[in-house]
Amino acid sequence: MDIAHIPTPLGTAKIEGDENGLSKITVLDGEETITDVIPETLEDAVYQLQEYFKGERQEFSLTLNPEGTDFQKRVWKALKRIPYGKTASYMELSKLVGDVKAIRAVAAANGKNPLWIVIPCHRIIGSDGSLTGYAGGLHRKKWLLEHEQPVKQQSLF
């Protein structure tokens, strides 16, 4: 398994994968040594994440290989259908998965998403529009949702 640590506006991202695809992307709170030489298998992921943070990429075209149950993978696939700049509720995500009664299981699978940003679990909000739990912290979720908004608030000063 190849690993790279890259800086992002939200902390150091740890990227893991191999020739079969990306298996995990997480954001870390602690100080990590930034990878000097990115493994070839992770170069495209690093490049696309950097484009995303610069506001130059809205969709990822990467080979993904996350570990999870079949149900979790169905939920993660449904998450990828939520467009950049949009949000959905857990109920809407349950409908995308095809089982509105599985809302708790869908929420749990959302929380187990191993591919930060690339599988956009940050786009899931409460039915009332509130920010709900996020493994990376609500401050990061808020930042990501604001980053994806088409109109940026300009400073007057």
Side-chain angles (χ1 to χ4, degrees), residues 69-106:
T69 66
D70 289 341
F71 181 78
Q72 287 171 330
K73 289 178 182 180
R74 278 184 34 222
V75 172
W76 301 336
K77 185 176 181 179
L79 281 166
K80 290 174 52 182
R81 293 174 47 199
I82 302 167
Y84 182 94
K86 303 290 183 188
T87 58
S89 69
Y90 287 101
M91 179 58 76
E92 291 167 326
L93 181 58
S94 295
K95 289 177 184 176
L96 284 175
V97 171
D99 189 352
V100 295
K101 294 180 182 176
I103 190 167
R104 288 182 188 265
V106 165

Side-chain angles (χ1 to χ4, degrees), residues 129-154:
S130 64
L131 296 185
T132 55
Y134 185 64
L138 288 181
H139 66 290
R140 289 187 177 110
K141 182 173 189 165
K142 182 176 186 287
W143 190 97
L144 290 167
L145 292 175
E146 289 174 355
H147 176 70
E148 293 184 0
Q149 290 307 303
V151 178
K152 307 287 188 224
Q153 177 64 39
Q154 299 294 316

